[in-house]
Amino acid sequence: MPRISIYQEDDIPSPMRKLWQAFADNPFALMGLWAVTCLLILAIFGPWIAPFSPEQQDPLALLLPPSWDASGTVEHFLGTDDLGRDIFSRLLHGAHLTFGMALAIVLASLSVGFVIGSISGMMKGLKSSILSHLLDALLSIPSLLMAILVVAVMGPGLGNVFWAVGIALTPQFVRAIHQAVHEEQQKDYVTAAKLDGANSIQIFWYVIMPNVWETVIIQVTLAISAAILDIAALGFLNLGAQAPSPEWGAMVSQGLDNILTAPWTVTIPGVAILCSVLAINLVGDGLRSALSPIRN
C-alpha cells in the first residue's frame, strides 16, 4: 500500500505564490518591478539623498556637463543647468514631486472610482444604462485634455494639478470597475449566491470582489503611468509646477532654451519620465499575464 504523506497539502502553492511564480517567469516584468521599487525609494528618500538643494545656484558651475564628459565633475554627477543648479539633486526632488504626486492622485481617484463604480455596477435598468453612456462620453475626452481644461478653470499650480489629473483619471476607474462588476453579476455563481440567501453586500464583497481585483490592479498600473505623463505634460506647458520647481516636466520646459548648447538639461529629466512610465507599464503587463492563468 503506497504511503500518503501528510505534507502533500502544504506543497500546493497558494494563489499569491502562483501569482509571484508566473510574474517572476517574465524577465521584463521583473526588471520593471526592480525599477519601480528603486523609483519608489527615490521618491520617498530623494530629498534626503540629494547632495544639494534643488534651488541652490553655483555661478561658477553654469551649464556644467555630466561627469562622464571630459569637462564634467564628480561633484555634479549629472551636470548643472543655466543657473548652476545641480541636476541630480533636482531630479531626486522631482521624483518626490512627480512620482509621489502620481501615486497620491491614483489612490484618490481609485477610492472615488471604486465607490461610484461599485454602486453603479450593482444597479440595473435605466440608471445603469444612463451612467454607462455618460462614462463613455467622458472617456471620449483624453485625460490630458480634460486636465488642461480643469487647470484652465482653476489656474496653474502644483496643487491644482492634483485636482485636475485626479478628475481626469477618475472616470477611467469608474468605467473599469462598473463594467467588471456588471459583468460578474451575470455569472452563474452570483445567481447561486442569491438563491442561498446572500444579500447584496455579501454578494458584492465575498462573491464579486475577488474576481474584480484583477481589473483594479491592471487599471492602477495604467493610471500611474498616465498620471506621470499628465503631470509632466502640464509642467512642460507651464500649467502645472512653476519655476523653480524641480518637477520633471517643468525641468524639461526650463531646459529647452539650452537644448543645443546643453542637451543634458532636457534629455536627463526626459529619460527619467520615459524610464518611469516604461517600468510601470512592464509591471502592468507582467501582472496582466500572471493574473490571467490564475483566474482561468
Side-chain angles (χ1 to χ4, degrees), residues 124 184-198 203 207-208:
K124 295 181 179 179
E184 292 297 323
Q185 273 196 307
Q186 314 304 320
K187 302 295 178 63
D188 292 337
Y189 55 79
V190 175
T191 304
K194 292 179 180 178
L195 294 175
D196 286 341
I203 291 173
V207 181
I208 294 178

Side-chain angles (χ1 to χ4, degrees), residues 12-67:
I12 300 175
S14 63
M16 287 301 298
R17 185 177 176 185
K18 288 182 179 179
L19 174 62
W20 171 250
Q21 289 175 346
F23 183 85
D25 287 340
N26 188 338
F28 294 104
L30 204 57
M31 182 173 60
L33 179 62
W34 282 110
V36 171
T37 303
C38 293
L39 185 61
L40 182 61
I41 293 173
L42 292 178
I44 297 174
F45 301 104
W48 292 273
I49 300 175
F52 300 96
S53 168
E55 300 177 7
Q56 181 178 341
Q57 302 179 14
D58 186 357
L60 302 178
L62 302 180
L63 296 178
L64 197 66
S67 60

Side-chain angles (χ1 to χ4, degrees), residues 104-114 165-170 173-174:
I105 290 172
V106 169
L107 288 176
S109 300
L110 173 61
S111 302
V112 176
F114 181 82
V165 179
I167 292 173
L169 293 180
T170 298
F173 282 105
V174 175

